[in-house]
Amino acid sequence: MTPVELSRTVLHAVRRAVDAGELSVAVPTRAVVAPPGPGGCGDYATSIALQLARPAGQPPLKVAEVLRPHLLGADGITDVVLTGPGFLNISLDRAASGVGLVGEILRRGERYGYADGPDGRVVQLHCPHDLRAVVVADAAARLLRSQGALVRVTAEGVEPAWTSVLGVAVDAVGRAPAELPVNVRPVPAPESADPMSLGRDAGRWALLHPAPHDRPRADDQHLVQRESNPLFRVRYAHARARAATRNAADLGFTADPDPVPATGSATGTPNGTATGTAPPRRRSSATPRRPRRPPPRVLAAAADHRAPDRLARHLVTVADAALPFLPTVLPRGGEKPSAAHRARLALAEAVGAVLAGGLDLLGIDAPDHL
């Protein structure tokens, strides 16, 4: 659970307390969570009870006592301890933490986020005789299959070049019976556009990245190798992540997602400001940040809504978050590989697996060298 997600969980706890009549306050728009200060414990602390005490007309400690059971009932939280005038100190499930997430991605590789097996669903996708509709149906079928569904794709027409150039696959072609309406109908590409001239990878991206209600732009901008091209950024981040693994092997170290002990000075926290040695639980600046929202929820939502554009945009978000971090993975100059470098490498490898797996579901190649 990331700090942003934990902040939302805290706000949900406030909402549940309000709905239950235990608190009479307006639910705030933001809840600050940060590492606990002196006298605190757990992974994060929040001062939300102090924030709500005056409008609730109750002491902060009483407000904290009201919120505690609602937090304990949330997924990923193992304990909530009250300290000081009403700070809520929250312990997270290690399996749900960033360390556990990176470890799970490394274990599952490019199939991270896939269902463990068939779930019994049978889905029929039917699309018109339109290039973009067929490509979207093909990608949606890949997503649904990754989530355990049995999928059949039919189209009212498919040109042979669509298969040979863009790699689309359908199970049957022809008019469907009346009881099987078209259920995949994105806005078509402009008649002047020629996505197939871009080749398989850029052509598919040009048709899949925009939302279904947006008209795709199929021009040479999808081929340029610069930051303005989202597909280039995704593939470049993947190639940089793979290069980090190769270069680390040359330096004689491998990935290790275990947490890195922190040292240094404490700064402002919800419990106050302190100086001195930071408790071991705190994350040092050398420790990589937790990954962004893991793909299982993204893949499931993209599959349920037949919306591969959701996955494409998620990959861009992951790449943009990873690119500034990837240059810090390897030691510099005479620096020797440390636990921090091994942890950073683990995160880089997790990023590479997520990007490669996501591109594969879109039917796009993820080259190790770019």
Side-chain angles (χ1 to χ4, degrees):
M1 185 182 295
T2 67
V4 171
E5 292 163 345
L6 181 57
S7 175
R8 292 173 183 158
T9 300
V10 172
L11 293 178
H12 291 162
V14 175
R15 167 60 65 189
R16 288 192 293 271
V18 170
D19 291 344
E22 298 170 327
L23 290 176
S24 180
V25 295
V27 179
T29 58
R30 182 169 177 260
V32 176
V33 296
C41 58
D43 297 293
Y44 291 97
T46 177
S47 58
I48 189 69
L50 283 74
Q51 179 182 340
L52 297 177
R54 177 169 298 197
Q58 300 184 41
L61 191 58
K62 177 61 177 177
V63 175
E65 290 172 349
V66 169
L67 295 177
R68 182 175 182 271
H70 295 288
L71 285 170
L72 282 172
D75 291 340
I77 293 179
T78 59
D79 194 16
V80 179
V81 176
L82 308 186
T83 58
F87 295 109
L88 289 152
N89 297 262
I90 303 169
S91 296
L92 301 179
D93 182 356
R94 174 56 57 86
S97 70
V99 172
L101 172 60
V102 170
E104 182 184 354
I105 295 174
L106 296 182
R107 285 192 299 273
R108 303 198 65 172
E110 295 179 15
R111 293 183 65 84
Y112 173 67
Y114 279 48
D116 293 329
D119 61 3
R121 285 183 297 164
V122 178
V123 180
Q124 172 73 58
L125 300 178
H126 186 60
C127 56
H129 184 188
D130 172 71
L131 173 58
R132 189 187 185 196
V134 173
V135 172
V136 170
D138 176 74
R142 292 167 180 258
L143 284 162
L144 284 160
R145 291 176 184 129
S146 78
Q147 300 305 297
L150 178 65
V151 187
R152 177 178 170 82
V153 181
T154 58
E156 295 183 355
V158 175
E159 302 298 326
W162 298 356
T163 299
S164 60
V165 177
L166 297 185
V168 296
V170 298
D171 298 297
V173 178
R175 289 251 176 219
E179 63 271 17
L180 181 59
V182 170
N183 55 12
V184 179
R185 193 191 292 274
V187 173
E191 292 184 5
S192 59
D194 183 13
M196 290 192 295
S197 67
L198 303 176
R200 172 169 174 151
D201 295 333
R204 289 181 70 99
W205 181 270
L207 297 173
L208 294 173
H209 180 247
H213 56 269
D214 291 333
R215 192 171 296 278
R217 176 177 54 83
D219 55 30
D220 292 345
Q221 291 300 312
H222 295 289
L223 297 174
V224 299
Q225 304 221 7
R226 58 174 67 110
E227 290 184 359
S228 60
N229 180 2
L231 175 59
F232 170 73
R233 298 203 303 274
V234 171
R235 299 173 87 187
Y236 182 62
H238 169 264
R240 287 293 302 264
R242 298 306 194 204
T245 300
R246 295 192 301 270
N247 294 334
D250 292 340
L251 294 173
F253 75 97
T254 57
D256 182 358
D258 285 344
V260 181
T263 58
S265 297
T267 56
T269 68
N271 292 10
T273 303
T275 59
T277 303
R281 277 186 175 273
R282 295 190 185 175
R283 182 171 61 82
S284 73
S285 60
T287 308
R289 293 184 180 274
R290 294 168 178 168
R292 286 188 170 270
R293 186 66 208 163
R297 184 178 297 179
V298 175
L299 295 186
D304 290 343
H305 293 275
R306 283 62 159 163
D309 60 289
R310 294 191 178 197
L311 173 58
R313 290 195 297 272
H314 177 73
L315 296 180
V316 176
T317 300
V318 172
D320 288 345
L323 282 170
F325 153 76
L326 289 172
T328 71
V329 171
L330 300 175
R332 297 183 178 182
E335 193 178 9
K336 293 184 179 180
S338 65
H341 293 112
R342 290 190 288 273
R344 293 172 189 163
L345 180 61
L347 180 54
E349 291 185 356
V351 167
V354 167
L355 295 177
L359 287 171
D360 182 66
L361 285 172
L362 297 177
I364 297 172
D365 184 42
D368 288 349
H369 302 269
L370 195 63

